[in-house]
Amino acid sequence: MAILPVLRLGDPRLLNIASKVSEFNKPELDEVIEDMFDTMRAEDGVGLAAPQLGIGLRIVIFGFEHNPRYPDSHAIPETVLINPQITALGTEQEQGWEGCLSVPGMRGMVSRYRRIRYTGFDASGSAIDVTAEGFHARVVQHECDHLDGIIYTQRLTDARKFGFTEELLASGQMNTEPCSNQEA
Ligand code: NI
């Protein structure tokens, strides 16, 4: 197990298209996923994509534990999602603040589909098929974007709604509820 450095915005490797995983149930794959979880937890993130560690494979992880400080927030089960496909359910989109471990200390307003279905595989190659909405759907869309070299800063709905978390909180533009307070 290892905590790896997270690439930051400006590193050209974040712009690459990641390759599909072709073999499951491999110790090498398990090791990558373990390093991803170690790093995500160490960085206190809610999601992470393999390209953020300089690993060009279509692997994302995400998970959001219930936080006693925010009893109303919905937990997201810890998930490994490999070779994901996202389908929007309906056309409804919603605005929300996003943060990224590759853009530390900043947040930006991004529009995402409110409801999605995502499919893919876990580390052993078993199929995953989940319907998600709200923050859960947002995190999955954010992570899967990383696999296509897309950072949320490319999706800002208004470049004026992008800045340092501290300033956005201090000015009351963003509140401290857990969803907007997460990096992924
Ligand atoms: Ni990110």
Side-chain angles (χ1 to χ4, degrees):
M1 60 184 280
I3 296 165
L4 301 176
V6 179
L7 306 188
R8 295 199 300 174
L9 187 66
D11 190 309
R13 287 174 288 177
L14 286 171
L15 305 178
N16 293 342
I17 311 276
S19 305
K20 277 193 169 183
V21 171
S22 53
E23 289 187 293
F24 296 86
N25 248 327
K26 290 273 179 188
E28 297 85 351
L29 180 62
D30 292 339
E31 200 174 314
V32 167
I33 291 164
E34 197 175 322
D35 289 349
M36 289 175 69
F37 273 109
D38 289 344
T39 304
M40 182 177 84
R41 292 190 187 110
E43 300 289 337
D44 219 6
V46 69
L48 187 72
Q52 291 179 277
L53 303 181
I55 299 164
L57 292 172
R58 301 186 80 80
I59 307 169
V60 303
I61 63 169
F62 45 86
F64 181 68
E65 278 180 22
H66 180 77
N67 186 330
R69 281 168 61 205
Y70 306 104
D72 296 332
S73 67
H74 299 286
I76 302 172
E78 268 191 357
T79 303
V80 177
L81 183 62
I82 299 174
N83 299 345
Q85 299 270 10
I86 294 178
T87 312
L89 297 177
T91 55
E92 190 187 348
Q93 301 209 358
E94 64 188 4
Q95 305 271 333
W97 291 102
E98 283 187 25
C100 181
L101 292 170
S102 297
V103 193
M106 303 193 81
R107 297 291 184 277
M109 186 66 81
V110 178
S111 185
R112 299 285 187 186
Y113 287 109
R114 205 182 80 74
R115 292 187 73 233
I116 62 167
R117 173 186 176 201
Y118 60 87
T119 58
F121 302 92
D122 69 12
S124 60
S126 300
I128 291 172
D129 187 341
V130 174
T131 298
E133 60 180 42
F135 185 61
H136 184 171
R138 175 174 297 278
V139 170
V140 175
Q141 289 171 85
H142 175 115
E143 294 316 327
C144 291
D145 263 357
H146 278 296
L147 305 180
D148 293 323
I150 298 169
I151 312 292
Y152 81 84
T153 52
Q154 297 169 44
R155 294 201 185 273
L156 295 174
T157 47
D158 179 346
R160 291 171 298 184
K161 291 186 174 164
F162 173 61
F164 290 97
T165 313
E166 286 178 3
E167 313 302 338
L168 293 167
L169 286 171
S171 60
Q173 294 174 80
M174 208 179 88
N175 62 31
T176 53
E177 57 120 39
C179 295
S180 58
N181 219 12
Q182 298 287 335
E183 293 180 347

